[in-house]
Amino acid sequence: VDWGLQYGGLENHPYYHVSTLAFGDLNVHVHEIVHGWFGTGVRLACWHDLVLSEGTADYYAARAVEAVLGDEAGKKRWDSYEKFYANKVAQGADSIVWPAECGDAKTAQTLLTQLLYKKGALFWRDVEELVGMKLLDAQFAAFFAAHKHKAGTLKTLLGAIEVASGKSLDALIDKWLKTKKP
């Protein structure tokens, strides 16, 4: 799609759109394809849950790249997320990506940055390390099945993961979603 100088993509499954500037970027394609589980499948119940959409899409995009292209490609993807986040922190641009209140469209505009995508993906990677990939995937699948064509919240998914794993996610939520690095 020719969006002028706009870089990126947009999910609208069963199709997705990628700008002419980003058309050669595998990462944009994979991210938009991953949104197939979300958006038209499960809607956000609130704007403050954007990390559920975008952070999850970047998390599964990294896993997809790793599964298809191998460990080295997956590591490169994760390294790019970490580098992006470290650069933003160094520039003083870190932000809370899961605010306490729902907010409005202005909240969404404030949240909708690549920082939210990367912090969300890194959050899910740490959750996976804590509870295991198999359990995390099972909880995402159950969440999708329970909320297909309905609205869902990050709080609901996180609660289900805690119950299924018997582990608290509070430290990871604080580290990645509720705080800024100084």
Side-chain angles (χ1 to χ4, degrees):
V1 178
D2 186 358
W3 290 329
L5 296 177
Q6 181 74 28
Y7 191 93
L10 178 67
E11 69 276 5
N12 190 13
H13 287 274
Y15 306 104
Y16 67 99
H17 308 283
V18 175
S19 72
T20 53
L21 292 176
F23 199 75
D25 187 338
L26 174 66
N27 296 325
V28 174
H29 287 274
V30 175
H31 175 92
E32 299 309 333
I33 290 167
V34 168
H35 270 303
W37 82 272
F38 198 85
T40 56
V42 176
R43 296 182 313 279
L44 292 176
C46 179
W47 285 116
H48 80 242
D49 287 326
L50 274 169
V51 72
L52 177 61
S53 174
E54 302 303 343
T56 303
D58 262 9
Y59 165 74
Y60 274 110
R63 286 198 35 206
V65 165
E66 184 175 58
V68 174
L69 300 177
D71 292 343
E72 187 175 324
K75 182 179 180 337
K76 189 175 180 181
R77 183 80 181 244
W78 285 114
D79 288 349
S80 75
Y81 291 176
E82 290 170 359
K83 183 178 179 182
F84 181 90
Y85 177 60
N87 287 338
K88 289 297 184 185
V89 168
Q91 297 166 7
D94 196 6
S95 64
I96 293 170
V97 297
W98 191 33
E101 296 187 24
C102 189
D104 54 20
K106 185 178 179 185
T107 303
Q109 191 60 38
T110 302
L111 289 173
L112 199 54
T113 68
Q114 284 296 313
L115 184 61
L116 176 132
Y117 293 52
K118 303 317 178 231
K119 282 182 82 170
L122 293 166
F123 166 75
W124 287 123
R125 184 180 66 174
D126 281 1
V127 171
E128 174 192 311
E129 186 176 309
L130 178 68
V131 304
M133 185 185 294
K134 186 175 180 179
L135 184 140
L136 183 59
D137 287 347
Q139 291 307 305
F140 269 116
F143 180 80
F144 180 85
H147 296 87
K148 186 176 180 184
H149 304 300
K150 296 186 257 178
T153 68
L154 181 58
K155 183 177 180 178
T156 300
L157 176 58
L158 295 175
I161 293 168
E162 287 182 324
V163 168
S165 69
K167 297 179 181 178
S168 172
L169 302 178
D170 288 347
L172 296 177
I173 291 167
D174 286 343
K175 175 183 176 181
W176 290 112
L177 309 179
K178 295 283 189 180
T179 60
K180 302 178 196 180
K181 279 200 175 178

